[in-house]
Amino acid sequence: MNTPRPYDDDSRRNMVRHGFGLKAEIMGELEADYHSAIIEVIRENGYRWSVGGLNLHLAKAFGFCYGVDKAIDFAYETRHRFPDRRIFLTNEIIHNPRVNHRLMEMGIRILVGQYADGTTLDQITPQDVVLLPAFGADVHLLDRLRTIGCILVDTTCGSVVHVWKRVERYAQDGFTSIIHGKWSHEETVATCSHVSRFGGQYLVVRDLMEAGEVCRIIMEDSMAGIDTGKYDRASSPGFDFTRGLKKIGIANQTTMLSSESVAIAGLLRQAMLNRYGPDRIEDHFRSFETICNATQERQDAVLELMRAPLDLMLVVGGFNSSNTTHLCEIAARHCPTYHVDGAECLLSPGEIRHKPADGPDRIATTRDWLPTRRPATIGLTAGASTPNRVIGEVIEKLALWESA
Ligand code: SF4
């Protein structure tokens, strides 16, 4: 059997991983599309700004992370490098509608997901260019594209690659990867495909409750009372819950709630300790936290904001952005919190359209969200895929109402 090639085996032909050196050429365009003057003013003012009776407190880490910066740079550079070729993205480049729409305006077409234009893989030719998004792509899709022979521009974030290397190692050593994440999230789909590529098994747990169920199976060596059917799509095909949990390695989707990932690893470690004892734990349990630095910094910055009392918190980011959702979850424990994907969600001072932090995935409209008494203090942050321009527009709308 051929040994599977690790992700960064550079024998892959037609693969561009470091951009085209066209940063200077695209700088002006990036500034025009994503820069916000008001954000710069607030940053220079110690992340605080007042307008009328509103005091705005901006988190000290917010918005575009290093991985998103790289992905967008590469996409713009690719457009410049190949002005006459068809360019495709395998999926959204990042989870932000503004950025995806802008790339589509630039003629970049998307193969899968909510923006798919109907093009199938059979229609991709060796003359085409295909971009892989920041959260990576499934290895089977990648294989197919390599076979076609098109030019591949890989914008996968280094922090995601780090997770892949970890789970590949688990698979090679016979450990099942237990991944804290959402099984349907593009990054986790790609991570699971790396486990399978190396002949390993995986089980994705979404939260502490699911991790608790896995712990029960480990400790009791039985699935009694547990509906394992709900894990069908979250585990490798034919996953055996008793045999597959004897040696486990923990990893997580890079954008999960850090405190929950740590708690899940602790819970599973304790279950393995109970089952195998301290002398054998190393043969049965491995753990490596793979939350990325940018996610951690943004979550820490929200906690720092919460040290001062806030009347409400606005969290700006795509509704399908995992890291934005978790920022919202943290803030909602402290004050009323509204997850909006842009200034359009601020319908009026009396009405806001938002994704609630504590419910199933849905968009709600809430009345009387903005306090009428003054002074009022509003906290603000944004997920790692949110352009400063979008955050700035939210602030400008608040300022407009306040000065009307
Ligand atoms: S959120 Fe983290 S893993 Fe995702 S692109 Fe940004 S730096 Fe990379």
Side-chain angles (χ1 to χ4, degrees), residues 169-227:
R169 169 57 62 187
Y170 290 157
Q172 284 169 313
D173 294 347
F175 280 65
T176 294
S177 289
I178 307 286
I179 301 163
H180 176 215
K182 293 178 191 153
W183 65 263
S184 56
H185 188 284
E186 297 88 337
E187 178 192 319
T188 297
V189 169
T191 299
C192 293
S193 74
H194 278 261
V195 176
S196 303
R197 163 62 49 95
F198 279 76
Q201 293 198 297
Y202 61 84
L203 174 64
V204 182
V205 293
R206 185 175 175 132
D207 51 27
L208 271 167
M209 197 274 291
E210 292 191 355
E213 289 188 337
V214 174
C215 288
R216 267 176 53 206
I217 298 172
I218 290 169
M219 289 189 293
E220 295 168 13
D221 202 14
S222 157
M223 295 177 294
I226 294 175
D227 168 21

Side-chain angles (χ1 to χ4, degrees), residues 65-68 134 157-160 187 254-255 292-295 323 384:
C65 57
Y66 47 87
V68 163
C157 176
S159 296
V160 173
E187 178 192 319
T254 53
T255 50
C292 77
N293 290 343
T295 296
N323 78 87

